[in-house]
Amino acid sequence: MAPLHLGIAGAGLLGRLLAWTLARQGHRVEVFDPAEGPEPRFDGQGAAGFTAAGLLSPLAERDVASERIAALGWRSLERWAAIVEALPGAPFFACRGSLLLAHRGDLGAARRLLARLPSADGTSRAPLPLDAAALARLEPALHGGAHAWLLPGEGQIDAVQVLRALQAAASGVRWHWGARVDAVEPGALHVAGGRAGRHAFDAVFDVRGLGARGELPLRGVRGETVWLRLPGHGLTRPLRLLHPRHRVYLAPRPGDVLVLGASEIESEDRSEVSLRSAVELMAAAHSVMPALQEARILRLDRNLRPALPDHEPRVEVVPGRVRINGLFRHGWLIAPALIDEALAEWAACERSRAAAAVAVP
Ligand SMILES: Cc1cc2nc3c(=O)[nH]c(=O)nc-3n(C[C@H](O)[C@H](O)[C@H](O)COP(=O)(O)OP(=O)(O)OC[C@H]3O[C@@H](n4cnc5c(N)ncnc54)[C@H](O)[C@@H]3O)c2cc1C
């Protein structure tokens, strides 16, 4: 495709990944976002992408996600490996599998969850039961989970590092901060705040997350996380723990950091993390990793996941406009493969538009 002038509404996960990808393809890209600048504020107001724990779990998420999301997830794991390799500063990405743990009393719930995973298909992606000795060999820092499974091939990524690196490496892209997009039409963005007015482009991408609520039946689903530091914690893989109220996970990060998440609450409340969520998440994590009692709490964070009624991502392509939204709790899991699909559909649409223009005498 010849280089085009492209506008992007939204500089969250999708917006930054799109800007970086399209700039590398030689397009002239401008991005508009109401945030004050590219850095996260951790105040519950900015991109959900910054709050995410960055778990890349196509297997474990089958509990709540469709086969399509799992397939996008497996493809995205390969794409993330290549993307991270191309980014400056070596953002953290690891793909060593993850663990599913259940206390004795939660074995029934664990079996129900495992029954929903592709355990019987005989592939290397099936959960692998671990006895106590095998678990101790893999993750000596863990004590307390009575039942454990390895979920092979699952990964994780440092969301904040990757979002920073995508923005820094998207060369030639013009970033307009403090610029809210109020309406998106094929070939134009209507901007309020900085650079107010109608801005014309060859094509526009609407990736405003919850900011596109006027045009899509979106709702926000609150999620809360706890960032911990524990020098020498020893955990090397993300773990999930069955819990009656939360999908609890704990993900090790470079620099002795651990990300503990996440509540999932049907509320658009963006206020501070509640005591109840913090206590429940921390108590659950401590029950399988007693050393966490000495961890220091670095940050409590929260944000809203952009969800459509069916919890499926949506890609809409019309000439001059691409819309991607509804990534819910799977944005990091599926973004690269979903963007590949959307860009392929957009390129086909632009080709037929060009062919139609040539055919008209
Ligand atoms: C607590 C929590 C934990 C999560 N953990 C994971 C995880 O482990 N794995 C995973 O795969 N996913 C996870 N997610 C989900 C993931 O973060 C989202 O799916 C993803 O961020 C959605 O990407 P997005 O680009 O659509 O939206 P966002 O990342 O929210 O970006 C939207 C952008 O649009 C901008 N915007 C809003 N309104 C406008 C406007 N009017 N004009 C212009 N710009 C606008 C916003 O400022 C923002 O920058 C988690 C989410 C939360 C909240």
Side-chain angles (χ1 to χ4, degrees), residues 9-15 32-34 47-49 51-55 179-181 207-209 211 223-225 249 262 303-306 327-333:
L13 167 57
L14 287 171
F32 299 80
D33 195 292
T51 305
L55 293 190
R180 194 184 71 236
V181 176
V207 283
R208 288 174 289 167
E224 297 152 303
T225 55
Y249 50 72
N303 216 312
L304 302 182
R305 307 171 177 97
L327 274 61
F328 185 39
R329 51 180 290 127
H330 303 122
W332 284 93
L333 175 63

Side-chain angles (χ1 to χ4, degrees), residues 50-349:
F50 279 118
T51 305
L55 293 190
L56 308 175
S57 307
L59 201 48
E61 287 293 322
R62 281 301 301 277
D63 182 26
V64 289
S66 64
E67 218 166 294
R68 174 175 180 235
I69 288 175
L72 286 166
W74 288 117
R75 288 215 306 279
S76 293
L77 270 160
E78 287 172 24
R79 296 281 290 109
W80 276 128
I83 292 167
V84 162
E85 182 90 16
L87 288 176
F92 172 68
F93 166 81
C95 199
R96 319 186 56 211
S98 67
L99 295 167
L100 175 66
L101 300 185
H103 289 298
R104 209 169 299 281
D106 296 324
L107 182 58
R111 289 206 170 116
R112 279 195 298 283
L113 188 156
L114 289 163
R116 290 195 288 275
L117 308 188
S119 52
D121 65 2
T123 70
S124 57
R125 290 172 179 173
L128 197 71
L130 300 173
D131 62 19
L135 178 63
R137 272 196 305 278
L138 277 183
E139 296 291 348
L142 298 179
H143 303 276
H147 304 281
W149 294 263
L150 176 67
L151 307 183
E154 294 205 330
Q156 61 158 323
I157 195 160
D158 188 315
V160 175
Q161 286 183 0
V162 170
L163 288 175
R164 281 189 175 129
L166 285 169
Q167 194 264 335
S171 74
V173 172
R174 289 185 65 192
W175 302 88
H176 304 285
W177 303 108
R180 194 184 71 236
V181 176
D182 282 341
V184 178
E185 63 176 273
L189 300 178
H190 295 259
V191 178
R195 299 251 303 153
R198 180 182 183 277
H199 296 265
F201 296 94
D202 295 315
V204 296
F205 292 78
D206 182 359
V207 283
R208 288 174 289 167
L210 282 174
R213 171 198 306 276
E215 287 139 70
L216 288 169
L218 287 158
R219 75 182 198 288
V221 180
R222 177 176 166 92
E224 297 152 303
T225 55
V226 183
W227 292 64
L228 303 167
R229 177 176 293 130
L230 179 61
H233 60 71
L235 188 67
T236 66
R237 293 173 179 76
L239 69 86
R240 283 174 188 255
L241 175 66
L242 282 211
H243 185 279
R245 251 174 56 80
H246 302 294
R247 297 199 171 87
V248 180
Y249 50 72
L250 184 66
R253 288 284 173 80
D256 297 323
V257 172
L258 295 144
V259 186
L260 170 59
S263 58
E264 188 177 312
I265 301 171
E266 280 298 339
S267 162
E268 299 205 339
D269 175 7
R270 291 182 182 266
S271 68
E272 289 81 355
V273 174
S274 73
L275 179 138
R276 178 180 182 177
S277 295
V279 166
E280 287 178 349
L281 291 171
M282 289 192 265
H286 177 249
S287 72
V288 289
M289 194 168 164
L292 283 179
Q293 67 191 352
E294 286 304 326
R296 296 298 185 258
I297 300 170
L298 297 180
R299 179 162 72 230
L300 297 165
D301 196 14
R302 74 287 184 186
N303 216 312
L304 302 182
R305 307 171 177 97
L308 287 163
D310 60 2
H311 288 177
E312 287 290 315
R314 187 177 299 181
V315 175
E316 288 175 10
V317 179
V318 297
R321 194 201 68 204
V322 178
R323 175 179 279 158
I324 315 175
N325 215 314
L327 274 61
F328 185 39
R329 51 180 290 127
H330 303 122
W332 284 93
L333 175 63
I334 65 175
L338 193 67
I339 284 180
D340 286 351
E341 282 189 8
L343 292 183
E345 200 180 326
W346 170 63
C349 181

Side-chain angles (χ1 to χ4, degrees), residues 15-40:
R16 290 177 193 224
L17 189 52
L18 268 170
W20 180 79
T21 305
L22 292 166
R24 278 165 66 95
Q25 292 175 359
H27 299 294
R28 189 153 64 89
V29 180
E30 298 191 44
V31 184
F32 299 80
D33 195 292
E36 285 168 5
E39 284 299 302

